[in-house]
Amino acid sequence: MMVVMKSGSSSAEVQQVVNLIKSWGLDAHLSTGEERTVIGVVGDTRKVQRELFFHYSSIEQIVPISRPYKLASREFIPMNSTFPLDGFEVGGKGVFIVAGPCAVESRSQLLETAQAVLEAGAHALRGGAFKPRTSPYAFQGLREEGLEILAEARELTGLPVVTEVMSPEMVPLVAKYSDVLQIGARNMQNYSLLHAAGESQKPVLLKRGMSATIEELLMCAEYILSHGNRRVILCERGIRTYETATRNTTDINAIPVLKDLTHLPVIIDPSHSTGNWKYVAAIARAGVAAGADGMIVEVHPRPEEALSDGGQSLKPKHFAELVCQIRAIAEAVDRSIAPAKIEGCQ
Ligand code: PEP
Ligand code: MN
């Protein structure tokens, strides 16, 4: 439910309504626009004694929220949510580019990749230190040593680091070394992890579960938001369908649908969506053309030697070409790409 205040309401009048809402044991979320203030009522709205609102002449109207998620919904917060990450405005006009290897394999592999993606125009470095692998016998990541290498890459390149956290107990450790906590597809509905990420002060990149609906993704974002963390990025990374020609099926529809339903930034992962480096550029371009606020792409200097996801990793040269293509697409859909002049783009 939203309480729309009359335009010109004073802060004391807004506060009176907030106090009333709090007296029912509910939370009030303020959106202060240029014209008017909207107060979102958060919690079990059955506790609302609606008729008491009639006594407040500063209230214009009461609007019910039809979505099961509130804090994530555009009904509740109409303006796009943005936040700064090392000087880049995530969710703003610029297309956010995250790139790096699937996993941190060694110091030299990560530093080489970090330098290459920086030069190609990436705004953040990805790399898993804790890897959720389908097989228990597959490479599980360098764990804390991997985090230390990521932090070193950050020092050397200035790129903020995005890395996966797999359990609530690990949130403080991963948050210590990184700038954005990634919650992977397999953990999208790990509610205690969502809770812990919600209590952390780091932005969260939440990937869609491989069999999750858009509404389930948004409900998971709601967990993080409702525990106090408002910096959440959603990621479409492909879903499981009957099609076997690619690793997953990119739900390109999810991009405009999510942009409609939520104010949160939405990015595309063309690497896990396709599972094949040959299709990565096409799907990245499609995602940005469809309105994605960014992309997260796997890049490896020698994909044929990669310990995980080598088949879908781009070589740095192909990644640099992709960034140039994304720049052209971004301009065509009234977005931009920073830095405006990237070495090597025509
Ligand atoms: C990853 O980003 O390397 C990864 C494991 O992704 P997902 O959770 O989407 O499978
Ligand atoms: Mn991967």
Side-chain angles (χ1 to χ4, degrees), residues 67-98:
R67 310 279 177 207
Y69 43 88
K70 283 185 186 152
L71 298 173
S73 79
R74 212 182 257 291
E75 275 180 329
F76 195 62
I77 301 177
M79 300 284 285
N80 283 340
S81 282
T82 66
F83 63 86
L85 185 68
D86 272 25
F88 186 88
E89 195 192 15
V90 179
K93 191 168 173 167
V95 175
F96 181 47
I97 302 177
V98 185

Side-chain angles (χ1 to χ4, degrees), residues 156-191:
L156 291 173
T157 59
L159 289 172
V161 163
V162 181
T163 195
E164 180 158 356
V165 57
M166 288 177 17
S167 63
E169 310 79 65
M170 289 306 216
V171 167
L173 178 77
V174 178
K176 185 173 127 196
Y177 289 99
S178 65
D179 301 280
V180 178
L181 301 173
Q182 177 174 325
I183 296 184
R186 290 157 192 79
N187 269 314
M188 185 197 83
Q189 282 174 310
N190 179 340
Y191 296 113

Side-chain angles (χ1 to χ4, degrees), residues 101-103 126 128 131-132 164 182-187 207-208 210 235 237 247 269 272 296 298 309 312:
C102 178
R126 65 148 289 149
K131 293 303 304 176
E164 180 158 356
Q182 177 174 325
I183 296 184
R186 290 157 192 79
N187 269 314
K207 298 186 98 179
R208 179 179 181 182
M210 58 192 83
C235 178
R237 49 76 74 203
R247 183 177 181 184
D269 174 346
H272 295 85
I296 178 164
E298 288 186 340
D309 287 348
Q312 66 194 34

Side-chain angles (χ1 to χ4, degrees), residues 1 24 26 41 43-50 70:
M1 166 182 294
W24 297 320
L26 299 167
V41 184
D44 180 359
T45 46
R46 284 173 305 184
K47 292 184 192 157
V48 169
Q49 294 167 256
R50 233 183 124 93
K70 283 185 186 152

Side-chain angles (χ1 to χ4, degrees), residues 101-164:
C102 178
V104 182
E105 298 168 359
S106 68
R107 184 172 177 274
S108 61
Q109 169 251 13
L110 190 75
L111 298 186
E112 183 181 349
T113 316
Q115 191 57 39
V117 302
L118 172 72
E119 282 166 18
H123 307 113
L125 174 67
R126 65 148 289 149
F130 294 90
K131 293 303 304 176
R133 304 304 300 278
T134 304
S135 164
Y137 308 114
F139 175 61
Q140 306 283 311
L142 296 181
R143 305 175 67 85
E144 190 164 357
E145 188 194 342
L147 295 175
E148 285 166 2
I149 296 172
L150 283 164
E152 188 184 349
R154 182 192 204 298
E155 282 302 304
L156 291 173
T157 59
L159 289 172
V161 163
V162 181
T163 195
E164 180 158 356

